[in-house]
Amino acid sequence: MTTHEYLCRLYAGFLGMNIGIRLGAPVEPSQWTSERIQRFYGDIHGYVKQFKNFAADDDANGPVFFLRALQDKPQHTTLQASDVAEAWLNYAREGVGMFWWGGYGVSTEHTAYLNLKAGIPAPESGSIAINGKTLAEQIGGQIFIDTWGFLFPDECKKAADHARMAASVSHDGDGLEGAAFIAAAIAKAFATDDIDAILDAACAQIRSDCTYAKVVGAVRDFHREHPDNWRDCLAYLQKNWGYDRYPGVCHIIPNAGVCIMALLYGRTLSRAVEIATMAGWDTDCNAGNVGSILGVAGNLAAVEEHYR
């Protein structure tokens, strides 16, 4: 891959991430169920809100801010979770913007931030042992890690390892599996636009017996048997992998199912972020992750003008 192609794919991935975030953000609040989104907007094929200004949030800021750990760490040293923790403390304004400051034991990121301030080092700051399984497996594990996939084109293990380490500041368990999976998928997308090849490569970087791997496999199996209508797959997810089964404010597992569904049924950047948005749940996070993967895979040709 030439430097020029790498930069084009990187740019397309970053555009795809932000397109997904901005498409999904207006229907992120919990009252926007998939049924309500369909009733108000029908089959989405463009932004549901025309933004005059781009308002960045954790989905956009986190991947960029935490990458600063690479620049700030001591030279000639291997990046550690403690370096990413320093980036948290250096670049996040406590109580303002970026994270949802929802309180200790409620917001995963707020909890990890307060743990760090209290002197609990990473990765203990995000561990199940300290924060409990539910808090450690919320969706943030996979929404702050796109840049690790961007950084290591077609180096899936390296991307996954860095993402897993960075996510460990605030997450654990399936939260780390999701981080590794999404970063590996982005890395693989530099080498192929074949969705199954991308998913295979990402699956190779996570434990085969974890819940994250199980929801990925379940959605892939459903798609093989019912390849035509994504809404049938959504109904399957809502029945078998929904928020009623996975507690907390925004658990990673139901939303992982939406990401896989959007990739398989969407195939292209635009359609995949649209499906991820219409599915409900954590719309901006899911569409953002999917946009990163398919932006890289499709290169700049995949970024349609009405979204760009």
Side-chain angles (χ1 to χ4, degrees):
M1 182 188 306
T2 65
T3 299
H4 178 74
E5 182 181 356
Y6 167 69
L7 291 175
C8 286
R9 289 187 181 275
L10 170 64
Y11 183 35
F14 199 75
L15 286 173
M17 179 180 75
N18 285 284
I19 288 166
I21 293 167
R22 285 301 100 198
L23 182 64
V27 293
E28 179 189 12
S30 58
Q31 63 264 33
W32 284 103
T33 63
S34 59
E35 293 80 8
R36 189 180 189 210
I37 295 169
Q38 184 178 19
R39 188 165 69 251
F40 271 75
Y41 296 113
D43 194 24
I44 291 174
H45 290 285
Y47 292 118
V48 300
K49 177 181 178 181
Q50 293 302 314
F51 293 92
K52 183 178 180 180
N53 299 302
F54 179 86
D57 58 11
D58 57 342
D59 303 81
N61 287 344
V64 177
F65 284 12
F66 303 149
L67 196 64
R68 293 294 296 272
L70 276 178
Q71 181 177 350
D72 296 347
K73 73 177 180 63
Q75 291 186 356
H76 311 302
T77 61
T78 302
L79 188 71
Q80 303 292 328
S82 58
D83 298 314
V84 181
E86 285 294 316
W88 274 63
L89 295 172
N90 287 339
Y91 298 108
R93 298 172 62 204
E94 184 174 3
V96 180
M98 178 98 128
F99 298 133
W100 171 52
W101 303 95
Y104 193 88
V106 180
S107 163
T108 302
E109 289 72 33
H110 195 178
T111 300
Y113 188 92
L114 291 175
N115 285 342
L116 293 172
K117 281 194 66 179
I120 299 172
E124 287 83 2
S125 54
S127 67
I128 289 175
I130 290 179
N131 301 330
K133 183 175 174 65
T134 293
L135 206 65
E137 294 188 333
Q138 299 300 297
I139 197 173
Q142 72 183 23
I143 70 172
F144 299 137
I145 51 73
D146 302 68
T147 41
W148 302 111
F150 294 153
L151 194 63
F152 301 113
D154 201 23
E155 294 186 80
C156 297
K157 186 179 187 306
K158 200 169 184 179
D161 288 348
H162 278 73
R164 190 186 296 273
M165 177 272 298
S168 71
V169 175
S170 52
H171 290 75
D172 200 356
D174 277 297
L176 302 187
E177 302 300 337
F181 184 93
I182 295 295
I186 295 169
K188 187 63 179 178
F190 280 94
T192 181
D193 60 0
D194 184 296
I195 302 301
D196 286 311
I198 289 171
L199 294 179
D200 287 344
C203 284
Q205 300 305 320
I206 64 174
R207 292 186 297 107
S208 60
D209 61 343
C210 70
T211 306
Y212 200 99
K214 291 176 182 176
V215 72
V216 172
V219 175
R220 296 183 79 179
D221 288 344
F222 188 94
H223 176 259
R224 277 189 284 268
E225 295 178 12
H226 310 279
D228 299 323
N229 189 344
W230 68 268
R231 289 193 182 277
D232 291 340
C233 187
L234 177 61
Y236 166 77
L237 282 172
Q238 291 169 336
K239 180 179 179 181
N240 296 282
W241 299 90
Y243 278 11
D244 58 315
R245 295 170 182 255
Y246 297 95
V249 176
C250 190
H251 202 281
I252 198 169
I253 294 301
N255 292 290
V258 168
C259 289
I260 305 307
M261 176 186 72
L263 290 168
L264 288 170
Y265 286 89
R267 298 283 169 172
T268 64
L269 168 60
S270 293
R271 195 54 185 158
V273 298
E274 290 159 3
I275 289 172
T277 296
M278 290 185 286
W281 290 337
D282 202 338
T283 49
D284 59 340
C285 297
N286 297 335
N289 281 147
V290 167
S292 291
I293 296 167
L294 291 180
V296 171
N299 210 330
L300 287 169
V303 186
E304 293 192 76
E305 186 65 27
H306 71 289
Y307 280 129
R308 185 165 179 171

